[in-house]
Amino acid sequence: MEPLPRGAQFIRSKMLWEIALGVAGDTAIPYYGNRDVAIVIGNGSGEHFHQWLRMSPGSPILAQAVVRGDLEAAFVNPSALLTQAYRGTGLFKEPLPVRVIASYPSWDRFVIAVNPRVGMTSLAQLKEKRLPLRLSIREDATHSTRVLIDQLLPLYGFTLADVESRGATFQLNGPPGDPRRHAAIKEGSVDIVFDEGIGGAGNWLNTALEHGMQPLELEEEALKKLETLGWRRAILPAARFPRLDRDRVCIDYSGWPLYTRASLPDEVAY
């Protein structure tokens, strides 16, 4: 980590940054609320602030704002969604001129964990089941995991809305390790969990495995179609999760690319 700049101006900037983190980090703010912090660099020496460089985390479709020039750079999770923007697949109707500046080295997987009482060996069986199943998903419909679910389920001939129409209900969560999810898994009130965020201690997958849930693997045809969009397959290793009966194939959720548009001058990106 580089040392922080010195001087009164940077002390004030750091204080503003900490205030922003305190405001956006309020746990009462839902995931689709005012919880993203943008960094703007420019010149505030006159009557008006002149913006020069604007950076922000946000949803995958923020790539449109970067290409339009509303932002100079953005973070996205996972990298597969930036691949969709580059290819013009999935969320994006046409290729966007996005370019990666750097990638934060995260390790993660998207897992579908199923309670054995459901008796499911394939996601295709969810189409036919007319049971009051309880699915644990993110509450923000624009979240990247919801994007993946919306792209995945139609490969099996149905949607979340179809499942709901057959009697399923949703246990909604903010972060992947939401206490509401952990409580639901422990009390056995959820049947299937769709999510990422399994890399750290106290993650939801460990809790699910402890309570008998096991990951569901996708068929080869579905994996190939997801790869065409920009997703990648990966291994969920039993060596890392001892309660797994074996290695499982799942969807990679690694990599946080910091990206910009092709037209940004090289010296600014550098």
Side-chain angles (χ1 to χ4, degrees):
M1 179 70 71
E2 293 291 329
L4 292 173
R6 296 183 178 181
Q9 181 75 344
F10 295 107
I11 292 174
R12 291 190 287 268
S13 297
K14 183 172 181 288
M15 182 175 177
L16 291 176
W17 162 246
E18 290 172 344
I19 291 171
L21 287 181
V23 173
D26 183 351
T27 56
I29 300 174
Y31 256 50
Y32 47 82
N34 296 318
R35 58 187 308 277
D36 295 312
V37 178
I39 301 297
V40 180
I41 303 171
N43 187 328
S45 62
E47 183 178 347
H48 300 283
F49 186 88
H50 297 281
Q51 301 180 52
W52 172 62
L53 191 63
R54 298 154 297 180
M55 303 173 285
S56 174
S59 73
I61 57 174
L62 206 58
Q64 301 283 4
V66 173
V67 170
R68 266 196 319 268
D70 299 340
L71 293 167
E72 276 62 60
F75 252 132
V76 68
N77 174 38
S79 59
L81 289 169
L82 189 61
T83 302
Q84 292 188 18
Y86 182 78
R87 292 181 180 177
T89 57
L91 275 179
F92 302 91
K93 296 180 179 179
E94 58 184 12
L96 297 182
V98 289
R99 298 292 186 270
V100 175
I101 298 174
S103 184
Y104 187 92
S106 69
W107 183 96
D108 208 352
R109 302 287 187 263
F110 178 84
V111 178
I112 305 169
V114 180
N115 193 307
R117 68 168 177 257
V118 178
M120 278 180 53
T121 57
S122 169
L123 199 57
Q125 294 168 308
L126 191 56
K127 180 180 179 180
E128 307 302 331
K129 287 185 178 292
R130 293 184 177 272
L131 301 174
L133 297 176
R134 186 90 165 145
L135 278 54
S136 182
I137 58 177
R138 295 294 187 98
E139 63 187 356
D140 179 4
T142 68
H143 190 270
S144 58
T145 56
R146 295 286 297 270
V147 172
L148 174 51
I149 293 170
D150 289 343
Q151 293 176 347
L152 169 62
L153 297 188
L155 301 181
Y156 289 88
F158 64 97
T159 65
L160 275 180
D162 293 333
V163 176
E164 188 176 24
S165 70
R166 296 188 185 101
T169 56
F170 304 134
Q171 188 270 321
L172 302 177
N173 306 272
D178 194 315
R180 296 172 293 182
R181 167 175 285 159
H182 280 276
I185 293 172
K186 291 175 182 178
E187 67 188 18
S189 62
V190 292
D191 302 296
I192 309 175
V193 180
F194 295 81
D195 215 342
E196 46 97 23
I198 64 166
N203 64 72
W204 68 267
L205 181 58
N206 279 335
T207 301
L209 293 172
E210 287 171 7
H211 289 79
M213 302 181 84
Q214 283 290 321
L216 193 69
E217 290 184 294
L218 303 176
E219 283 76 8
E220 180 65 19
E221 183 179 356
L223 286 169
K224 286 182 177 178
K225 288 180 178 178
L226 289 175
E227 287 174 327
T228 299
L229 292 179
W231 298 100
R232 295 184 299 269
R233 72 181 74 194
I235 295 297
L236 183 66
R240 185 163 184 160
F241 298 93
R243 289 185 175 86
L244 280 178
D245 54 359
R246 58 180 172 82
D247 287 353
R248 302 294 183 106
V249 176
C250 59
I251 299 300
D252 187 27
Y253 230 77
S254 303
W256 298 352
L258 175 67
Y259 67 96
T260 185
R261 56 186 172 273
S263 62
L264 189 79
D266 289 349
E267 60 271 19
V268 176
Y270 180 80

